[in-house]
Amino acid sequence: MLVRIRPGAELTGAEREFVECLSAYPSPGLALIDPQVGDRRLDAVVVTPRGITVLDVLGFRRRQSGLLALSNTGAWTISDSPLELEAGPSSGLTDRLEHGVHAVRVALEHALQESRHVCGAVVLVPYRGVVVRPARTALRPGLDVLVANTVDAHELRVYLENFSVGPREWTVERVLNTCAALGLADLAPTRTELTDDGFPAKRPDPAPRAPRPRRVEPPAPPTEPAKEGKLAGLIVFGLAVLGMLIVLVMVILALLTDSPSPRTVSDITESTTPAPVTVTHRPAHCWPFQSDC
């Protein structure tokens, strides 16, 4: 990691140990120590390929170890004792960090640059050999508290490499533009130094999206006929039945008109058979000389 210290900066013992930690990290990054951004003096601004973080570095006044308890509004404690820091009371540390993050965001926005990837963290540097836990905790989204020194700086390194989950969008050109937007162009390294440190020359191509599976819509359930359709069907059915009844009645009336008295089959048979004729033979009187007698 590249480290650039503002000329004339007077660093505390905790800040010098913090710089020693950063210089030993192999991950790509640019640490600007004791910069002036706008009207605020910050402890450190670190730019990585994933974003920007503002760090507030604080040392202890004496050897304190134990369990760290934090508060967004009240004083911080360690093993139920007030946290004694070189900078004074810990009650206003959250506000101080938020003001530093806000100053960086405003400077970027004035330069028409993206500011949503700016985070912040308080770095507590205890005496060497002192154990303070937890080594990392969150005050709120985007604001963390880290415990680190040259003996135990693992959590600080993990934070700097992963404080932003965004893609590696800070290229060499963007880092230089960021330094210029913050008014820190005099602290900016060269392009060759940034490239050798591991900053990408250009943004990586977005990963191709896998084709979305085609969604097969299930067949729609059969819809019930509307009330108007049901009513029309009933009317048609009723008219059909009525028509059949009318035809049946007309056929019956026609039959009754043509045959006033019903005839049976035996009557029809008898009417077609000629009735036998009874012939009565009477003696004929024959006259003399009658030829047909």
Side-chain angles (χ1 to χ4, degrees):
M1 179 176 289
L2 300 173
V3 178
R4 295 292 184 269
I5 303 175
R6 182 183 61 83
E10 297 180 358
L11 304 182
T12 64
E15 290 173 341
R16 288 194 296 269
E17 187 157 352
F18 171 73
V19 169
E20 188 177 347
C21 292
L22 297 182
S23 301
Y25 291 158
S27 53
L30 172 62
L32 305 172
I33 306 300
D34 198 38
Q36 179 80 26
V37 178
D39 59 350
R40 301 196 66 84
R41 179 65 59 82
L42 307 177
D43 289 344
V45 174
V46 178
V47 184
T48 72
R50 296 185 183 276
I52 303 174
T53 182
V54 179
L55 301 178
D56 199 0
V57 184
L58 302 173
F60 286 73
R61 294 180 59 184
R62 62 182 182 88
R63 298 177 68 90
Q64 285 185 290
S65 63
L67 186 62
L68 183 65
L70 307 177
S71 172
N72 286 323
T73 55
W76 298 1
T77 61
I78 181 169
S79 296
D80 297 330
S81 298
L83 193 64
E84 298 183 23
L85 302 173
E86 293 178 342
S90 59
S91 56
L93 293 180
T94 303
D95 296 337
R96 175 180 169 181
L97 177 61
E98 287 183 329
H99 291 160
V101 172
H102 178 71
V104 172
R105 287 178 175 171
V106 169
L108 292 175
E109 291 171 358
H110 285 172
L112 302 180
Q113 294 189 25
E114 179 62 55
S115 64
R116 60 188 177 91
H117 291 298
V118 180
C119 301
V122 174
V123 182
L124 301 178
V125 183
Y127 282 76
R128 297 183 184 182
V130 174
V131 178
V132 178
R133 291 292 181 268
R136 178 180 178 182
T137 185
L139 288 172
R140 64 187 66 153
L143 297 180
D144 293 82
V145 175
L146 309 168
V147 177
N149 53 28
T150 53
V151 177
D152 183 10
H154 175 71
E155 289 297 332
L156 176 60
R157 177 180 175 179
V158 172
Y159 170 80
L160 292 176
E161 293 177 351
N162 303 282
F163 67 86
S164 176
V165 296
R168 296 167 60 89
E169 294 183 345
W170 261 258
T171 61
V172 172
E173 188 67 27
R174 188 169 183 181
V175 172
L176 296 176
N177 292 337
T178 297
C179 292
L182 299 179
L184 306 174
D186 55 335
L187 297 180
T190 63
R191 296 177 183 271
T192 302
E193 289 175 323
L194 291 172
T195 302
D196 294 341
D197 191 59
F199 280 94
K202 62 178 182 178
R203 292 186 181 182
D205 296 331
R209 294 184 178 180
R212 299 179 60 182
R214 187 175 182 182
R215 184 177 179 182
V216 180
E217 296 290 341
T223 56
E224 296 184 359
K227 293 183 178 180
E228 294 80 0
K230 289 183 177 180
L231 182 60
L234 292 176
I235 293 175
V236 172
F237 179 75
L239 292 176
V241 173
L242 181 61
M244 294 177 63
L245 292 176
I246 293 175
V247 171
L248 181 61
V249 170
M250 292 180 65
V251 171
I252 294 174
L253 291 177
L255 292 177
L256 293 178
T257 303
D258 292 344
S259 301
S261 58
R263 300 170 65 186
T264 62
V265 177
S266 58
D267 294 338
I268 297 173
T269 305
E270 290 178 359
S271 62
T272 56
T273 304
V277 180
T278 303
V279 180
T280 303
H281 296 277
R282 295 180 179 180
H285 297 280
C286 298
W287 302 97
F289 308 104
Q290 187 175 353
S291 59
D292 57 352
C293 184

